[in-house]
Amino acid sequence: MSGADLHLHTTCSDGTFSIRDLVSRAKRRKVAAISITDHDYCESLDEIERWCDHYGVETISGTEISTVKNGSELHLLGYGFDPDHRPLKRELIKIRKSRTARAEKMVKNLQRIFKLDINMNDVTKLTTSNIGRPHIARALVNKGLVSDVNTAFVKYLNNESPAYVGKYTVDTSRAIQLLHDAGGVAVLAHLSRYPDWQMIDDLVADGLDGLELQHPSHNLELKAKIESFARRRKLLLTGGSDFHGGRSPSNDIGSEMVPYEFFEFLRDRVNKRMEITVK
Ligand code: AMP
Ligand code: MN
Ligand code: MN
Ligand code: MN
């Protein structure tokens, strides 16, 4: 049996594949288990489970929450939580609302600062909800204003750009608590962006359950460090391709995976957490 890809995006956030197409491709690429981790979103679990049943792929609820700790944005993966848990759901809705307001501001900045001929319709055409910078980037590509998405980020949309506007983010420790209250577990995503081990230890003290081990941005040295750090603290290890669409072999579904048994460890930990939450 092949492994588990536990970091995937669909059109419910900034991916380009529908849920059905993603699950079908996961099956074709012989991935045994998946978790769809759309940004600040988990409203489609029924549909995900239906297609996973249909294609014979195992799954667990997932999301990637935009959080902040000591001023830096950390992405927190949640797994196995109840997506109908009200406080968690409310917080995710709050982030998504702020994404829309922030996209409007960024589009205005692109017009004003960079004199780009782009408006909000060009962006909302590409998504009904849950707008991210990749949608603005794709709108710029569609209008012929940049050659590709990466150039859009380099020239206009990166965090240092004068057009950049931040979105509402939730404190990382609070997001961990919300996931726990919803019966789930919390895993820190792509540590390549913030290898601050003291801060990670503080998050472990706040209940962080695991670290993402496999990710396209992780080199061998970082993976070795994550593995030993996690083993010493009995943390879960997860991983995935961070697929957003596109078919280049380096970021296709299943290009980064953890062994299937890591998926079982994750499920076991979630079941234990459920017992704690129910008690
Ligand atoms: P946002 O959540 O709206 O702030 O946008 C961040 C998202 O943009 C990330 O989740 C990535 O999917 C995407 N992203 C960030 N940098 C780049 C880049 N250089 N090229 C393509 N996509 C990027
Ligand atoms: Mn993304
Ligand atoms: Mn991320
Ligand atoms: Mn991601």
Side-chain angles (χ1 to χ4, degrees):
M1 193 168 351
S2 180
D5 186 337
L6 304 173
H7 191 157
L8 299 156
H9 297 275
T10 72
T11 47
C12 295
S13 66
D14 55 8
T16 59
F17 273 44
S18 67
I19 293 169
R20 181 188 185 163
D21 289 346
L22 184 147
V23 178
S24 149
R25 186 159 182 82
K27 181 66 185 177
R28 218 160 345 122
R29 292 189 40 89
K30 300 189 168 41
V31 178
I34 64 167
S35 182
I36 293 181
T37 51
D38 276 309
H39 298 283
D40 312 307
Y41 183 92
C42 189
E43 305 267 329
S44 304
L45 188 60
D46 288 347
E47 189 183 343
I48 293 167
E49 288 180 340
R50 241 191 350 267
W51 287 119
C52 281
D53 266 358
H54 178 85
Y55 286 107
V57 176
E58 289 188 67
T59 195
I60 189 167
S61 65
T63 186
E64 181 176 9
I65 307 180
S66 309
T67 77
V68 67
K69 199 78 198 169
N70 306 333
S72 38
E73 186 172 333
L74 305 184
H75 289 186
L76 192 70
L77 295 161
Y79 294 110
F81 53 88
D82 169 9
D84 292 324
H85 185 75
R86 296 296 308 170
L88 175 64
K89 207 171 162 164
R90 263 201 304 270
E91 198 65 29
L92 298 184
I93 290 171
K94 191 168 167 183
I95 303 176
R96 293 204 298 277
K97 276 198 180 142
S98 121
R99 282 179 164 283
T100 307
R102 159 287 188 140
E104 283 165 2
K105 286 186 195 148
M106 282 190 73
V107 166
K108 281 208 182 101
N109 286 348
L110 293 173
Q111 296 165 348
R112 186 174 52 81
I113 302 167
F114 292 108
K115 313 289 176 224
L116 293 174
D117 176 22
I118 179 174
N119 60 53
M120 201 54 191
N121 279 342
D122 302 320
V123 179
T124 51
K125 259 200 302 228
L126 303 175
T127 174
T128 47
S129 65
N130 206 2
I131 305 176
R133 278 180 282 166
H135 298 110
I136 304 177
R138 285 172 207 146
L140 290 171
V141 174
N142 291 346
K143 298 210 84 181
L145 296 167
V146 288
S147 56
D148 55 58
V149 164
N150 190 47
T151 308
F153 271 88
V154 172
K155 285 180 82 170
Y156 304 120
L157 302 174
N158 64 77
N159 293 32
E160 275 72 49
S161 165
Y164 177 78
V165 178
K167 57 188 178 286
Y168 169 75
T169 45
V170 48
D171 176 75
T172 312
S173 305
R174 177 165 147 68
I176 293 171
Q177 190 60 51
L178 284 169
L179 287 166
H180 285 176
D181 291 347
V185 300
V187 173
L188 192 61
H190 43 63
L191 278 74
S192 46
R193 288 208 209 155
Y194 26 75
D196 176 345
W197 300 100
Q198 182 52 54
M199 181 199 68
I200 295 170
D201 242 342
D202 294 345
L203 292 175
V204 173
D206 286 344
L208 183 72
D209 302 275
L211 302 179
E212 190 167 52
L213 172 65
Q214 305 293 351
H215 187 272
S217 68
H218 291 183
N219 61 27
L220 285 176
E221 189 190 343
L222 179 60
K223 287 180 189 180
K225 173 80 186 161
I226 292 171
E227 204 160 4
S228 70
F229 184 95
R231 296 233 184 273
R232 255 180 282 133
R233 292 159 182 81
K234 296 197 168 23
L235 297 175
L236 289 166
L237 287 169
T238 70
S241 58
D242 208 353
F243 177 75
H244 281 75
R247 285 162 192 245
S248 88
S250 61
N251 61 12
D252 205 341
I253 302 171
S255 58
E256 294 281 344
M257 288 201 281
V258 285
Y260 179 76
E261 63 174 359
F262 284 32
F263 176 71
E264 294 178 309
F265 296 151
L266 174 63
R267 254 193 333 212
D268 289 349
R269 187 76 72 96
V270 167
N271 289 338
K272 285 211 187 80
R273 166 91 31 221
M274 282 287 183
E275 285 166 22
I276 299 168
T277 312
V278 169
K279 266 176 207 161

